[in-house]
Amino acid sequence: MDLDGKKLALFDAHLSHKGLQYLVDAAAALLGNPIFMADMSMRIVFKSSDMGTGVQDYSAEGDLDRQDRAVRQAADAGFLDWIYRHDKPVIGEFAGEPRYLSARVRDGSHVLGHIVVVETAKRFEEEDKLLLPIVCQTISFELRRTRVDDLGAPEYAPILEELLAGNMVDEDAAQRRIAAVGVPLPQPMRILVFRNIDKGRTVSQAYLHTQLDKAFPHTVGLPYQADYIRVVDGTLNLKDVDTTMRSLVYTGGMAIGSSRTMRKATALHLAYLQADAAIRLGSGTDGGPLRRYDDIAAQHLLEFARQAGMDEAAALSPAICLLREFDAANHADYTASLAAYLNSGRNVARAASALHVHKNSMYYRIQRIEELAGVDLSDEQTCFLLQLSLAMLGQGPTSR
C-alpha cells in the first residue's frame, strides 16, 4: 500500500467510530511496528494491542525505572525538546534498546504528548516518517472527543487565591479556613511558579498539573493569573526539586521561579512575589528552567527601592557609582574586577583566574579601584557595603 492509501486507511479507521484502540492498532499495522503514546507527564495514554509482555513491552509501562531511564536519555539527547517544538518526527537510538521514531501529538497550540513507534518488527522506512504526523493528527482528532482540558476549580482554590493575592493577614483565621477545606499545606512550604516564556511551546495546564501530581504527591497547585502555582514541601533541597522536575516534568518553554521557605499561610503572598521576581530578574541554573529567589534577592531589594521613589544612586554605594561612571567614560571594567575580587573572598589568585588575567594585573586593578573609588578594601564594613551594592546589580556571589 502506498502512502496515500495508508492515509486513507487511517482516516477510515477514525471515521469508523470503533474507538481509540481500533485506530491505534490500525496505525501500528500500517507502520509495521508497535506504537504507544505518552502524555507530557510520561504517563502511558495508550498502546497497540501487540506490544509483547515483560521486558519485550517497550512502552515500559510496568517498569518505572526503565521508563525514567528512557526519559532521561531522551531528554539528555535533546529528543524531547525537539519533539515538542516541531511536527517533524525524530529517530532516537539508545544503548541496549531498539530505535524509536517519535513525534508530538497536539490539538491546536496545546501539545498533548508524543507517539513512539518502536523498531522491533521491521526497520524504519522513509515513508514511516511521512506517515507518523498523519497518525498523530488522526489520534488528536480521536482524543478530542473525550479529552478534558479544564482543570476545574479545586475546593481549596478560593482560600489559596486569597492568600496568594495577600488579601488575608490574620494567620489564625487563615488556618481555620484551611482546616475547614482540608488543604494539605506542608510545613514549611515554598512556592514554585511555572510561567510560559516561549509562546511557540505552550503546555496545557491540565497536563502540567498531572506531571506535578506525579513529581510532588500530596501537594496542592492551581492556575493563578497566567501562571501555574505549586505549593511544595519546604524541607526539600532545591537541588532535589530541580532533579525531580528534570526527570518527571516537561518544562520546555517555561521558567520556574522558586521562593524561600515560609511557615505562615499568610506569607504565601510574599512567597509568590519572591518566585515572580526570581523569574523576572533571574536566569536558569545549569541550563535548567529553575530560578531561585536567593540568587536575585539583592536585585529585588533594589527594585523595591526604585518603586519607593529612591534613585538608584541613593540605594547603591557611592564608590560603586564612581566606578561605574569611570568604566562608562573610559571603556574600563573595574566594576567587574571588584566583583570578582569580593566574590572570591578577596583572594587575588582566584579573582585573577576568574577574569583570566595575570595575578600581578589583578594587584594593579585592586590598587586602581581603591584610588578611583576612595575606598580601603581591607576594611570589612566597606567590603560588605560594596558587595551588597554589586549584588543589587546582579554581580553578587550567587549570580549565575
Side-chain angles (χ1 to χ4, degrees):
M1 187 185 301
D2 62 11
L3 183 61
D4 288 337
K6 291 179 180 179
K7 291 179 182 178
L8 288 174
L10 276 172
F11 288 125
D12 284 343
H14 170 61
L15 295 173
S16 71
H17 299 295
K18 292 183 179 180
L20 178 62
Q21 191 62 54
Y22 178 83
L23 176 59
V24 171
D25 288 339
L30 292 170
L31 288 162
N33 277 304
I35 69 172
F36 67 92
M37 176 178 169
D39 66 18
M40 297 181 75
S41 66
M42 303 307 160
R43 176 179 61 88
I44 304 300
V45 179
F46 60 71
K47 55 183 177 179
S48 53
S49 298
D50 184 12
M51 290 291 298
T53 57
V55 296
Q56 297 304 313
D57 182 349
Y58 290 103
S59 66
E61 183 178 20
D63 188 341
L64 293 180
D65 288 340
R66 181 180 180 185
Q67 184 179 356
D68 288 345
R69 185 169 63 252
V71 170
R72 284 175 180 270
Q73 287 179 312
D76 291 344
F79 295 149
L80 285 177
D81 191 56
W82 169 268
I83 290 167
Y84 287 140
R85 284 184 67 99
H86 305 84
D87 286 317
K88 186 178 179 181
V90 63
I91 290 180
E93 187 169 0
F94 309 131
E97 300 284 356
R99 293 196 305 168
Y100 297 92
L101 176 64
S102 186
R104 69 180 179 179
V105 180
R106 61 186 177 91
D107 184 0
S109 63
H110 281 167
V111 177
L112 309 181
H114 60 285
I115 285 182
V116 179
V117 187
V118 190
E119 190 182 51
T120 57
K122 74 173 187 66
R123 287 192 61 80
F124 292 141
E125 300 172 356
E126 193 62 31
E127 193 173 86
D128 295 334
K129 290 185 179 181
L130 301 175
L131 181 62
L132 185 56
I134 310 301
V135 171
C136 293
Q137 185 178 18
T138 53
I139 292 293
S140 174
F141 292 155
E142 189 70 29
L143 290 174
R144 187 181 296 173
R145 294 175 179 169
T146 56
R147 185 167 64 91
V148 177
D149 222 13
D150 184 6
L151 281 178
E155 60 181 7
Y156 56 76
I159 175 65
L160 211 54
E161 287 172 352
E162 284 191 57
L163 290 168
L164 290 169
N167 294 334
M168 297 191 70
V169 295
D170 187 329
E171 181 66 20
D172 290 338
Q175 290 297 340
R176 285 195 296 270
R177 288 190 58 186
I178 288 169
V181 297
V183 185
L185 290 181
Q187 285 293 331
M189 55 193 158
R190 78 167 76 242
I191 279 183
L192 300 177
V193 171
F194 295 78
R195 181 172 300 164
N196 184 270
I197 57 174
D198 182 350
K199 299 306 178 185
R201 287 189 283 176
T202 58
V203 178
S204 162
Q205 289 192 338
Y207 281 98
L208 181 60
H209 184 79
T210 303
Q211 295 175 68
L212 291 168
D213 275 346
K214 179 180 178 182
F216 304 104
H218 313 301
T219 62
V220 296
L222 79 167
Y224 181 69
Q225 298 180 5
D227 300 322
Y228 178 86
I229 310 296
R230 197 79 179 187
V231 184
V232 300
D233 185 351
T235 64
L236 292 175
N237 184 289
L238 271 181
K239 183 177 180 181
D240 294 334
V241 170
D242 190 26
T243 300
T244 298
M245 286 195 295
R246 289 180 191 237
S247 301
L248 299 175
V249 184
Y250 177 72
T251 55
M254 286 186 185
I256 305 168
S258 170
S259 73
R260 287 173 172 166
T261 58
M262 306 287 171
R263 291 191 176 275
K264 293 185 177 181
T266 49
L268 284 177
H269 173 59
L270 175 59
Y272 176 70
L273 293 178
Q274 289 180 351
D276 169 74
I279 292 175
R280 292 185 293 100
L281 304 175
S283 58
T285 59
D286 303 324
L290 185 64
R291 304 180 184 188
R292 311 160 198 255
Y293 179 73
D294 281 340
D295 289 350
I296 55 87
Q299 291 167 262
H300 198 207
L301 180 63
L302 179 58
E303 188 176 76
F304 276 123
R306 288 168 175 161
Q307 290 172 357
M310 183 183 292
D311 183 74
E312 180 180 277
L316 299 176
S317 163
I320 296 298
C321 295
L322 285 173
L323 282 181
R324 294 177 79 196
E325 290 173 5
F326 183 86
D327 285 347
N330 297 276
H331 305 288
D333 61 352
Y334 285 115
T335 306
S337 296
L338 176 60
Y341 177 60
L342 295 176
N343 294 341
S344 64
R346 287 184 282 174
N347 183 301
V348 174
R350 284 170 55 194
S353 176
L355 295 173
H356 306 290
V357 299
H358 193 275
K359 189 162 68 171
N360 290 341
S361 177
M362 195 67 215
Y363 277 117
Y364 171 77
R365 293 187 188 192
I366 293 169
Q367 181 182 343
R368 283 290 289 151
I369 288 168
E370 291 183 317
E371 293 171 355
L372 291 168
V375 295
D376 177 5
L377 293 181
S378 66
D379 181 73
E380 295 291 340
Q381 179 71 4
T382 297
C383 290
F384 169 76
L385 293 174
L386 290 173
Q387 196 162 26
L388 177 60
S389 291
L390 288 167
M392 286 182 174
L393 297 171
Q395 294 179 274
T398 59
S399 300
R400 299 172 190 271

